[in-house]
Amino acid sequence: MVALAFPISAMANGYQNLHQSAMGLGTAYAANGAGIDDVSAMFSNPASLSRFPGWNASAGVTLILPTDTFEGLSATTSGGVPITDGDPSEPSQFLDTTFSGFWYVSKQLTDKLHFGLAFNAPWATESDYTDTAASRYTATTTELTAYNLSPILSYQVNEQLSVGAGLNIQYYTSKFATNISTTPAAPARATDALATFEGDKLAFGATVGLEYQATDQWRFGVSYRSAINHEFDGDVKIDGSTAALAALPGFGISDSGSAKYDIATPWMLQLGAHGQINDRLEVYGSATLTGWSKFKDTIIETSNGLGTLEVKNGWHDAVYVAVGAGYQITPKTKIFGGLAYDETPTPTKVRNPRAPNAHRYYVGLGLSHAFSPSRSIKFGYAHTFFDDAPIRLTEATNPGRGSLNGDIKIDADIVMVQYVHSF
Protein backbone atom coordinates (compact mmCIF):
# COMPACT_ATOMS: atom_id res chain seq x y z
CA MET A 1 0.00 0.00 0.00
CA VAL A 2 1.18 3.49 -0.78
CA ALA A 3 2.48 5.41 2.27
CA LEU A 4 -0.07 8.20 2.66
CA ALA A 5 0.11 11.31 4.85
CA PHE A 6 -3.03 13.33 4.38
CA PRO A 7 -2.92 16.71 6.15
CA ILE A 8 -5.93 16.95 8.40
CA SER A 9 -4.80 17.31 12.01
CA ALA A 10 -3.52 20.83 11.34
CA MET A 11 -7.00 22.18 11.94
CA ALA A 12 -7.04 21.24 15.60
CA ASN A 13 -5.26 24.21 17.12
CA GLY A 14 -2.72 26.95 16.57
CA TYR A 15 -4.71 29.04 14.13
CA GLN A 16 -6.70 31.29 16.46
CA ASN A 17 -5.94 34.90 15.52
CA LEU A 18 -6.86 37.33 18.32
CA HIS A 19 -4.83 40.18 16.80
CA GLN A 20 -7.72 42.48 15.90
CA SER A 21 -7.03 45.56 18.06
CA ALA A 22 -3.80 47.38 18.95
CA MET A 23 -5.00 47.98 22.49
CA GLY A 24 -5.98 44.33 22.74
CA LEU A 25 -2.54 43.22 21.56
CA GLY A 26 -0.65 45.71 23.71
CA THR A 27 -2.44 44.55 26.86
CA ALA A 28 -1.94 40.85 25.98
CA TYR A 29 -5.74 40.90 25.38
CA ALA A 30 -6.48 41.83 29.00
CA ALA A 31 -8.55 44.78 27.65
CA ASN A 32 -10.71 42.48 25.49
CA GLY A 33 -14.30 42.19 26.61
CA ALA A 34 -14.73 45.51 28.46
CA GLY A 35 -11.62 47.70 28.32
CA ILE A 36 -10.82 48.63 24.71
CA ASP A 37 -11.40 52.37 24.18
CA ASP A 38 -12.03 52.46 20.42
CA VAL A 39 -14.52 50.94 18.02
CA SER A 40 -12.42 47.77 17.55
CA ALA A 41 -13.93 46.75 20.92
CA MET A 42 -16.85 45.30 18.94
CA PHE A 43 -14.67 42.32 17.96
CA SER A 44 -14.45 40.97 21.50
CA ASN A 45 -17.87 42.23 22.71
CA PRO A 46 -20.64 43.52 20.41
CA ALA A 47 -22.28 45.35 23.34
CA SER A 48 -19.22 47.60 23.63
CA LEU A 49 -20.39 49.35 20.45
CA SER A 50 -22.77 51.46 22.59
CA ARG A 51 -19.82 53.38 24.07
CA PHE A 52 -18.97 55.09 20.75
CA PRO A 53 -21.36 57.86 19.64
CA GLY A 54 -21.71 59.24 16.12
CA TRP A 55 -19.69 57.81 13.23
CA ASN A 56 -16.49 55.84 13.92
CA ALA A 57 -13.97 54.07 11.73
CA SER A 58 -10.75 52.19 12.40
CA ALA A 59 -8.30 50.07 10.44
CA GLY A 60 -5.05 48.34 11.27
CA VAL A 61 -2.35 45.97 10.10
CA THR A 62 -0.53 43.21 11.96
CA LEU A 63 2.84 41.57 11.35
CA ILE A 64 3.64 38.24 13.03
CA LEU A 65 7.33 37.25 13.14
CA PRO A 66 7.89 33.71 14.42
CA THR A 67 11.17 31.95 15.10
CA ASP A 68 11.00 28.16 15.16
CA THR A 69 12.97 24.90 14.87
CA PHE A 70 12.05 21.20 14.77
CA GLU A 71 14.78 19.51 16.82
CA GLY A 72 15.59 15.81 17.14
CA LEU A 73 13.37 14.93 14.17
CA SER A 74 12.89 11.23 13.34
CA ALA A 75 10.15 9.45 11.45
CA THR A 76 9.00 6.15 9.96
CA THR A 77 6.46 5.25 7.29
CA SER A 78 3.18 3.56 8.18
CA GLY A 79 4.96 0.27 7.58
CA GLY A 80 7.63 1.11 10.16
CA VAL A 81 10.41 1.84 7.65
CA PRO A 82 12.77 4.58 8.96
CA ILE A 83 12.96 7.73 6.85
CA THR A 84 16.70 8.38 6.68
CA ASP A 85 17.05 10.87 3.80
CA GLY A 86 15.51 13.93 5.46
CA ASP A 87 17.06 17.24 4.40
CA PRO A 88 17.35 19.39 6.41
CA SER A 89 17.56 17.09 9.36
CA GLU A 90 16.05 19.78 11.61
CA PRO A 91 13.70 22.15 9.70
CA SER A 92 13.41 25.78 10.79
CA GLN A 93 11.27 28.80 9.94
CA PHE A 94 8.38 26.58 8.88
CA LEU A 95 5.85 28.96 10.48
CA ASP A 96 5.60 31.76 7.99
CA THR A 97 5.90 35.46 8.67
CA THR A 98 2.34 36.70 8.15
CA PHE A 99 0.80 40.07 7.40
CA SER A 100 -2.89 40.76 7.93
CA GLY A 101 -5.36 43.59 8.34
CA PHE A 102 -8.75 44.49 9.79
CA TRP A 103 -11.29 47.32 9.74
CA TYR A 104 -14.34 48.51 11.68
CA VAL A 105 -17.03 51.13 11.07
CA SER A 106 -19.97 52.14 13.25
CA LYS A 107 -22.90 54.55 13.21
CA GLN A 108 -25.15 55.66 16.06
CA LEU A 109 -28.66 55.20 14.68
CA THR A 110 -30.65 56.57 17.64
CA ASP A 111 -29.97 57.61 21.22
CA LYS A 112 -29.87 53.93 22.20
CA LEU A 113 -29.20 51.95 19.01
CA HIS A 114 -25.81 51.55 17.29
CA PHE A 115 -24.81 49.69 14.13
CA GLY A 116 -21.34 48.34 13.40
CA LEU A 117 -19.57 46.41 10.67
CA ALA A 118 -16.35 44.48 11.31
CA PHE A 119 -14.03 42.68 8.91
CA ASN A 120 -11.12 40.52 10.07
CA ALA A 121 -9.70 36.99 10.05
CA PRO A 122 -10.14 35.49 13.55
CA TRP A 123 -8.80 32.09 12.45
CA ALA A 124 -5.67 31.95 10.30
CA THR A 125 -2.31 30.19 10.06
CA GLU A 126 0.42 29.34 7.56
CA SER A 127 3.21 26.79 7.82
CA ASP A 128 5.57 25.29 5.28
CA TYR A 129 7.82 22.33 6.09
CA THR A 130 10.17 21.52 3.26
CA ASP A 131 9.01 18.53 1.22
CA THR A 132 12.47 16.95 1.56
CA ALA A 133 12.49 16.71 5.39
CA ALA A 134 11.74 13.48 7.25
CA SER A 135 8.43 15.04 8.34
CA ARG A 136 7.23 15.23 4.73
CA TYR A 137 4.78 12.31 4.97
CA THR A 138 2.93 14.05 7.82
CA ALA A 139 3.12 17.75 6.91
CA THR A 140 4.40 20.10 4.23
CA THR A 141 2.27 23.16 3.39
CA THR A 142 -0.69 24.43 5.42
CA GLU A 143 -2.68 27.59 4.68
CA LEU A 144 -5.90 28.29 6.58
CA THR A 145 -7.77 31.60 6.64
CA ALA A 146 -11.29 32.30 7.87
CA TYR A 147 -12.35 35.77 6.64
CA ASN A 148 -15.13 37.14 8.81
CA LEU A 149 -17.64 39.94 8.08
CA SER A 150 -19.84 40.86 11.06
CA PRO A 151 -22.81 43.24 10.95
CA ILE A 152 -23.54 44.14 14.59
CA LEU A 153 -26.28 45.94 16.53
CA SER A 154 -25.99 47.17 20.10
CA TYR A 155 -28.70 48.63 22.31
CA GLN A 156 -28.22 50.73 25.43
CA VAL A 157 -30.91 49.45 27.79
CA ASN A 158 -30.18 52.09 30.42
CA GLU A 159 -27.21 54.12 31.69
CA GLN A 160 -25.59 50.97 33.08
CA LEU A 161 -26.48 48.12 30.71
CA SER A 162 -25.87 47.61 26.99
CA VAL A 163 -26.52 44.48 24.93
CA GLY A 164 -25.31 43.53 21.48
CA ALA A 165 -25.51 40.84 18.83
CA GLY A 166 -24.08 40.19 15.41
CA LEU A 167 -23.94 37.77 12.50
CA ASN A 168 -20.61 36.17 11.57
CA ILE A 169 -20.44 35.67 7.80
CA GLN A 170 -17.34 33.52 7.42
CA TYR A 171 -15.54 32.56 4.23
CA TYR A 172 -12.95 29.86 4.92
CA THR A 173 -10.15 29.01 2.50
CA SER A 174 -7.89 26.01 3.02
CA LYS A 175 -4.85 24.54 1.35
CA PHE A 176 -2.81 21.54 2.52
CA ALA A 177 -0.01 19.56 0.99
CA THR A 178 1.84 16.39 1.98
CA ASN A 179 4.15 13.89 0.33
CA ILE A 180 3.20 10.38 -0.78
CA SER A 181 5.82 7.68 -1.16
CA THR A 182 5.41 5.55 -4.29
CA THR A 183 8.12 3.20 -2.96
CA PRO A 184 6.90 2.63 0.63
CA ALA A 185 9.33 -0.24 1.28
CA ALA A 186 12.24 2.13 0.56
CA PRO A 187 10.99 5.74 0.90
CA ALA A 188 13.08 8.27 -1.02
CA ARG A 189 12.64 11.89 -2.00
CA ALA A 190 13.20 11.04 -5.67
CA THR A 191 10.16 8.74 -5.77
CA ASP A 192 7.78 10.94 -3.79
CA ALA A 193 4.67 12.60 -5.13
CA LEU A 194 2.97 15.65 -3.58
CA ALA A 195 -0.73 15.59 -2.70
CA THR A 196 -2.45 18.97 -2.38
CA PHE A 197 -5.95 19.72 -1.19
CA GLU A 198 -7.68 23.05 -1.75
CA GLY A 199 -11.18 24.14 -0.84
CA ASP A 200 -13.30 27.04 0.34
CA LYS A 201 -16.62 27.38 2.10
CA LEU A 202 -19.04 30.08 3.24
CA ALA A 203 -20.81 29.49 6.56
CA PHE A 204 -22.54 31.48 9.27
CA GLY A 205 -22.46 31.97 13.02
CA ALA A 206 -23.42 34.51 15.66
CA THR A 207 -21.95 36.64 18.43
CA VAL A 208 -23.75 38.12 21.44
CA GLY A 209 -22.65 40.14 24.46
CA LEU A 210 -23.54 42.50 27.26
CA GLU A 211 -21.65 45.24 29.03
CA TYR A 212 -22.51 46.53 32.50
CA GLN A 213 -21.23 49.72 34.14
CA ALA A 214 -21.48 48.57 37.75
CA THR A 215 -20.05 51.76 39.31
CA ASP A 216 -18.33 54.91 38.13
CA GLN A 217 -15.05 52.99 38.38
CA TRP A 218 -15.88 49.45 37.24
CA ARG A 219 -17.27 48.05 33.99
CA PHE A 220 -17.79 44.37 33.19
CA GLY A 221 -18.54 42.47 30.00
CA VAL A 222 -19.47 39.00 28.85
CA SER A 223 -19.62 37.79 25.25
CA TYR A 224 -20.10 34.59 23.29
CA ARG A 225 -19.00 33.71 19.75
CA SER A 226 -20.63 30.62 18.30
CA ALA A 227 -18.86 27.72 16.65
CA ILE A 228 -19.11 27.55 12.85
CA ASN A 229 -18.97 24.27 10.95
CA HIS A 230 -17.53 24.35 7.43
CA GLU A 231 -18.38 21.40 5.18
CA PHE A 232 -15.72 21.40 2.48
CA ASP A 233 -16.23 19.93 -0.96
CA GLY A 234 -12.76 20.42 -2.38
CA ASP A 235 -10.23 18.96 -4.76
CA VAL A 236 -7.21 16.71 -4.39
CA LYS A 237 -4.37 16.95 -6.90
CA ILE A 238 -1.19 14.87 -6.96
CA ASP A 239 1.98 16.17 -8.60
CA GLY A 240 5.42 14.64 -9.05
CA SER A 241 7.92 13.26 -11.48
CA THR A 242 6.78 11.27 -14.47
CA ALA A 243 7.91 8.06 -12.79
CA ALA A 244 6.14 8.86 -9.52
CA LEU A 245 2.86 9.67 -11.27
CA ALA A 246 3.18 6.54 -13.40
CA ALA A 247 3.38 4.45 -10.22
CA LEU A 248 0.08 5.74 -8.79
CA PRO A 249 -2.28 3.50 -10.85
CA GLY A 250 -0.52 0.48 -9.39
CA PHE A 251 -1.95 1.55 -6.01
CA GLY A 252 -5.36 2.29 -7.52
CA ILE A 253 -4.82 6.06 -7.20
CA SER A 254 -5.43 8.74 -9.82
CA ASP A 255 -3.73 12.12 -9.85
CA SER A 256 -6.89 14.17 -9.16
CA GLY A 257 -10.27 13.90 -7.54
CA SER A 258 -12.57 15.34 -4.91
CA ALA A 259 -12.25 15.30 -1.14
CA LYS A 260 -14.85 16.13 1.50
CA TYR A 261 -14.43 16.86 5.18
CA ASP A 262 -15.50 19.27 7.91
CA ILE A 263 -13.67 21.92 9.93
CA ALA A 264 -15.41 23.46 12.95
CA THR A 265 -14.08 26.73 14.30
CA PRO A 266 -14.64 26.70 18.07
CA TRP A 267 -17.03 28.68 20.23
CA MET A 268 -15.62 31.32 22.61
CA LEU A 269 -16.98 32.54 25.96
CA GLN A 270 -15.24 35.64 27.31
CA LEU A 271 -15.42 37.67 30.52
CA GLY A 272 -13.85 41.12 30.73
CA ALA A 273 -13.35 43.80 33.37
CA HIS A 274 -12.21 47.43 33.28
CA GLY A 275 -11.40 49.51 36.35
CA GLN A 276 -10.74 53.26 36.36
CA ILE A 277 -8.53 53.62 39.43
CA ASN A 278 -8.01 57.38 39.06
CA ASP A 279 -7.84 60.03 36.33
CA ARG A 280 -4.72 58.44 34.84
CA LEU A 281 -4.57 54.78 35.84
CA GLU A 282 -6.87 52.01 34.61
CA VAL A 283 -6.68 48.24 34.93
CA TYR A 284 -7.99 45.38 32.78
CA GLY A 285 -8.67 41.70 33.12
CA SER A 286 -10.11 39.03 30.84
CA ALA A 287 -10.73 35.29 30.86
CA THR A 288 -11.72 33.27 27.80
CA LEU A 289 -12.86 29.68 27.44
CA THR A 290 -12.46 28.40 23.88
CA GLY A 291 -14.46 25.34 22.81
CA TRP A 292 -11.82 23.35 20.94
CA SER A 293 -13.72 20.17 21.86
CA LYS A 294 -15.91 21.00 18.85
CA PHE A 295 -13.08 19.62 16.73
CA LYS A 296 -13.73 15.88 16.51
CA ASP A 297 -11.86 13.14 14.68
CA THR A 298 -11.58 14.21 11.05
CA ILE A 299 -12.93 11.95 8.36
CA ILE A 300 -12.00 12.62 4.72
CA GLU A 301 -13.84 11.03 1.83
CA THR A 302 -11.81 11.03 -1.40
CA SER A 303 -12.74 9.98 -4.92
CA ASN A 304 -9.31 9.36 -6.47
CA GLY A 305 -8.45 6.07 -4.76
CA LEU A 306 -7.05 7.45 -1.53
CA GLY A 307 -10.13 6.08 0.20
CA THR A 308 -11.51 7.24 3.54
CA LEU A 309 -8.89 8.89 5.69
CA GLU A 310 -9.10 9.39 9.45
CA VAL A 311 -7.17 11.69 11.71
CA LYS A 312 -7.28 11.12 15.46
CA ASN A 313 -7.93 14.24 17.51
CA GLY A 314 -8.17 14.55 21.27
CA TRP A 315 -8.62 18.27 21.77
CA HIS A 316 -10.19 19.77 24.87
CA ASP A 317 -11.56 23.20 25.76
CA ALA A 318 -8.84 25.65 26.85
CA VAL A 319 -8.62 28.85 28.92
CA TYR A 320 -6.87 32.16 28.30
CA VAL A 321 -6.38 34.59 31.20
CA ALA A 322 -4.82 38.06 31.10
CA VAL A 323 -4.27 41.11 33.31
CA GLY A 324 -3.07 44.55 32.30
CA ALA A 325 -3.04 48.27 32.97
CA GLY A 326 -3.04 51.59 31.14
CA TYR A 327 -1.65 54.96 32.17
CA GLN A 328 -2.53 58.36 30.69
CA ILE A 329 0.86 60.08 30.45
CA THR A 330 -0.60 63.28 28.97
CA PRO A 331 -4.12 64.22 27.86
CA LYS A 332 -3.18 62.94 24.38
CA THR A 333 -0.92 59.96 25.09
CA LYS A 334 -1.59 56.70 26.90
CA ILE A 335 0.64 53.67 27.44
CA PHE A 336 -0.63 50.19 28.27
CA GLY A 337 0.67 46.69 28.88
CA GLY A 338 -0.33 43.23 30.02
CA LEU A 339 0.56 39.63 30.77
CA ALA A 340 -1.32 36.48 29.76
CA TYR A 341 -1.34 32.71 29.99
CA ASP A 342 -2.77 30.70 27.10
CA GLU A 343 -3.49 27.01 27.73
CA THR A 344 -3.05 24.60 24.83
CA PRO A 345 -5.94 22.27 24.03
CA THR A 346 -3.64 19.81 22.27
CA PRO A 347 -2.50 16.62 24.07
CA THR A 348 1.04 15.53 23.27
CA LYS A 349 0.00 12.14 21.90
CA VAL A 350 -1.92 13.74 19.00
CA ARG A 351 -0.05 17.02 18.52
CA ASN A 352 0.68 17.57 14.83
CA PRO A 353 3.47 19.73 13.35
CA ARG A 354 0.99 21.61 11.20
CA ALA A 355 -0.33 23.31 14.34
CA PRO A 356 2.42 22.77 16.92
CA ASN A 357 0.76 24.64 19.75
CA ALA A 358 1.83 24.45 23.39
CA HIS A 359 1.16 26.46 26.53
CA ARG A 360 1.99 30.10 25.76
CA TYR A 361 2.77 33.24 27.73
CA TYR A 362 2.26 36.76 26.39
CA VAL A 363 3.93 40.02 27.33
CA GLY A 364 2.31 43.03 25.69
CA LEU A 365 3.09 46.74 25.43
CA GLY A 366 1.39 49.55 23.56
CA LEU A 367 0.86 53.26 23.08
CA SER A 368 -1.92 55.47 21.79
CA HIS A 369 -1.65 59.09 20.75
CA ALA A 370 -4.49 61.44 19.85
CA PHE A 371 -3.67 64.01 17.16
CA SER A 372 -7.05 65.61 17.81
CA PRO A 373 -10.31 64.68 19.58
CA SER A 374 -11.32 62.77 16.44
CA ARG A 375 -8.05 61.23 15.21
CA SER A 376 -5.63 58.90 16.95
CA ILE A 377 -3.05 56.24 16.21
CA LYS A 378 -2.25 53.17 18.28
CA PHE A 379 0.68 50.82 18.39
CA GLY A 380 0.73 47.36 19.95
CA TYR A 381 3.50 44.84 20.50
CA ALA A 382 3.56 41.41 22.10
CA HIS A 383 6.14 38.69 22.54
CA THR A 384 4.87 35.14 22.82
CA PHE A 385 6.85 32.55 24.76
CA PHE A 386 5.89 28.96 23.90
CA ASP A 387 6.62 25.91 25.98
CA ASP A 388 8.37 23.26 23.90
CA ALA A 389 5.89 21.37 21.71
CA PRO A 390 6.84 17.67 21.71
CA ILE A 391 5.68 15.67 18.68
CA ARG A 392 5.09 12.02 19.60
CA LEU A 393 2.93 10.61 16.81
CA THR A 394 2.62 6.86 16.34
CA GLU A 395 0.82 4.73 13.77
CA ALA A 396 -2.12 4.54 16.21
CA THR A 397 -2.44 8.33 16.49
CA ASN A 398 -1.25 9.10 12.95
CA PRO A 399 -2.90 6.29 10.93
CA GLY A 400 -1.60 5.78 7.41
CA ARG A 401 1.28 8.18 7.99
CA GLY A 402 3.55 6.38 10.44
CA SER A 403 5.48 7.77 13.41
CA LEU A 404 6.96 11.23 13.86
CA ASN A 405 9.06 12.37 16.82
CA GLY A 406 10.88 15.54 17.79
CA ASP A 407 10.52 18.78 19.70
CA ILE A 408 9.30 22.01 18.16
CA LYS A 409 10.54 25.25 19.72
CA ILE A 410 8.77 28.52 18.93
CA ASP A 411 8.89 32.18 19.89
CA ALA A 412 7.05 34.99 18.14
CA ASP A 413 6.99 38.78 17.98
CA ILE A 414 3.77 40.53 16.96
CA VAL A 415 3.52 44.20 16.00
CA MET A 416 0.47 46.23 15.04
CA VAL A 417 -0.46 49.75 14.01
CA GLN A 418 -4.07 50.99 14.03
CA TYR A 419 -5.72 54.25 13.01
CA VAL A 420 -8.92 55.44 14.68
CA HIS A 421 -11.21 58.21 13.40
CA SER A 422 -14.51 59.55 14.73
CA PHE A 423 -16.88 61.88 12.87
Short mmCIF file of all heavy atoms in Angstrom, two decimals, residues 6 17 41 60 68 79 97-98 111 119 121 129 153 161 164 249 354 377:
data_model
loop_
_atom_site.label_atom_id
_atom_site.label_comp_id
_atom_site.label_asym_id
_atom_site.label_seq_id
_atom_site.Cartn_x
_atom_site.Cartn_y
_atom_site.Cartn_z
N PHE A 6 -2.12 12.25 4.74
CA PHE A 6 -3.03 13.33 4.38
C PHE A 6 -3.12 14.34 5.50
O PHE A 6 -3.21 13.98 6.66
CB PHE A 6 -4.42 12.78 4.04
CG PHE A 6 -5.14 13.68 3.09
CD1 PHE A 6 -4.90 13.59 1.74
CD2 PHE A 6 -6.00 14.65 3.56
CE1 PHE A 6 -5.54 14.44 0.86
CE2 PHE A 6 -6.64 15.50 2.68
CZ PHE A 6 -6.42 15.40 1.33
N ASN A 17 -6.59 33.62 15.79
CA ASN A 17 -5.94 34.90 15.52
C ASN A 17 -6.68 36.00 16.27
O ASN A 17 -7.64 36.59 15.78
CB ASN A 17 -5.95 35.17 14.01
CG ASN A 17 -5.27 36.47 13.65
OD1 ASN A 17 -4.49 37.02 14.42
ND2 ASN A 17 -5.58 36.99 12.47
N ALA A 41 -13.38 47.51 19.80
CA ALA A 41 -13.93 46.75 20.92
C ALA A 41 -15.06 45.83 20.49
O ALA A 41 -15.35 44.84 21.16
CB ALA A 41 -14.42 47.71 22.01
N GLY A 60 -6.39 48.64 10.80
CA GLY A 60 -5.05 48.34 11.27
C GLY A 60 -4.41 47.21 10.52
O GLY A 60 -5.07 46.48 9.76
N ASP A 68 11.36 29.53 14.80
CA ASP A 68 11.00 28.16 15.16
C ASP A 68 12.00 27.15 14.61
O ASP A 68 12.63 27.38 13.58
CB ASP A 68 9.60 27.82 14.64
CG ASP A 68 9.39 28.29 13.20
OD1 ASP A 68 9.89 27.64 12.29
OD2 ASP A 68 8.71 29.31 13.01
N GLY A 79 4.49 1.64 7.48
CA GLY A 79 4.96 0.27 7.58
C GLY A 79 6.13 0.10 8.53
O GLY A 79 6.68 -1.00 8.65
N THR A 97 6.20 34.08 8.33
CA THR A 97 5.90 35.46 8.67
C THR A 97 4.60 35.85 7.97
O THR A 97 4.44 35.61 6.77
CB THR A 97 7.04 36.38 8.22
OG1 THR A 97 8.22 36.05 8.95
CG2 THR A 97 6.69 37.84 8.44
N THR A 98 3.65 36.40 8.73
CA THR A 98 2.34 36.70 8.15
C THR A 98 1.98 38.16 8.36
O THR A 98 2.34 38.78 9.36
CB THR A 98 1.24 35.82 8.77
OG1 THR A 98 1.23 35.99 10.19
CG2 THR A 98 1.48 34.35 8.44
N ASP A 111 -30.61 57.39 19.93
CA ASP A 111 -29.97 57.61 21.22
C ASP A 111 -29.50 56.31 21.84
O ASP A 111 -28.50 56.28 22.57
CB ASP A 111 -30.95 58.29 22.19
CG ASP A 111 -31.17 59.75 21.83
OD1 ASP A 111 -30.38 60.27 21.01
OD2 ASP A 111 -32.12 60.35 22.35
N PHE A 119 -14.63 43.65 9.83
CA PHE A 119 -14.03 42.68 8.91
C PHE A 119 -12.65 42.30 9.43
O PHE A 119 -11.81 43.16 9.71
CB PHE A 119 -13.90 43.26 7.50
CG PHE A 119 -13.28 42.29 6.54
CD1 PHE A 119 -14.01 41.25 6.00
CD2 PHE A 119 -11.94 42.42 6.17
CE1 PHE A 119 -13.43 40.34 5.12
CE2 PHE A 119 -11.35 41.52 5.29
CZ PHE A 119 -12.10 40.48 4.78
N ALA A 121 -9.94 38.43 10.26
CA ALA A 121 -9.70 36.99 10.05
C ALA A 121 -9.38 36.38 11.41
O ALA A 121 -8.21 36.27 11.78
CB ALA A 121 -8.56 36.77 9.06
N TYR A 129 6.67 23.22 5.86
CA TYR A 129 7.82 22.33 6.09
C TYR A 129 8.33 21.87 4.73
O TYR A 129 7.55 21.46 3.87
CB TYR A 129 7.40 21.11 6.92
CG TYR A 129 6.95 21.43 8.31
CD1 TYR A 129 5.64 21.85 8.55
CD2 TYR A 129 7.81 21.30 9.40
CE1 TYR A 129 5.21 22.15 9.84
CE2 TYR A 129 7.39 21.60 10.68
CZ TYR A 129 6.09 22.01 10.89
OH TYR A 129 5.67 22.31 12.16
N LEU A 153 -25.41 44.96 15.91
CA LEU A 153 -26.28 45.94 16.53
C LEU A 153 -26.08 45.91 18.03
O LEU A 153 -25.99 44.82 18.62
CB LEU A 153 -27.75 45.68 16.21
CG LEU A 153 -28.23 45.99 14.79
CD1 LEU A 153 -29.66 45.50 14.61
CD2 LEU A 153 -28.15 47.50 14.51
N LEU A 161 -26.48 49.39 31.46
CA LEU A 161 -26.48 48.12 30.71
C LEU A 161 -26.63 48.34 29.21
O LEU A 161 -27.52 49.07 28.76
CB LEU A 161 -27.61 47.23 31.21
CG LEU A 161 -27.78 45.88 30.49
CD1 LEU A 161 -26.57 44.99 30.71
CD2 LEU A 161 -29.06 45.19 30.95
N GLY A 164 -25.66 43.52 22.89
CA GLY A 164 -25.31 43.53 21.48
C GLY A 164 -25.35 42.15 20.87
O GLY A 164 -25.26 41.14 21.58
N PRO A 249 -1.23 4.47 -10.50
CA PRO A 249 -2.28 3.50 -10.85
C PRO A 249 -2.05 2.11 -10.26
O PRO A 249 -3.01 1.37 -10.02
CB PRO A 249 -2.22 3.47 -12.39
CG PRO A 249 -1.68 4.81 -12.77
CD PRO A 249 -0.68 5.13 -11.70
N ARG A 354 1.67 20.54 11.92
CA ARG A 354 0.99 21.61 11.20
C ARG A 354 0.50 22.71 12.13
O ARG A 354 0.40 23.86 11.74
CB ARG A 354 -0.19 21.04 10.40
CG ARG A 354 0.24 20.16 9.24
CD ARG A 354 -0.95 19.76 8.41
NE ARG A 354 -0.56 18.82 7.38
CZ ARG A 354 -0.07 19.16 6.20
NH1 ARG A 354 0.10 20.44 5.91
NH2 ARG A 354 0.26 18.24 5.32
N ILE A 377 -3.78 57.40 16.72
CA ILE A 377 -3.05 56.24 16.21
C ILE A 377 -2.62 55.40 17.40
O ILE A 377 -2.34 55.94 18.49
CB ILE A 377 -1.84 56.67 15.37
CG1 ILE A 377 -1.25 55.47 14.61
CG2 ILE A 377 -0.78 57.37 16.21
CD1 ILE A 377 -0.27 55.85 13.53
#
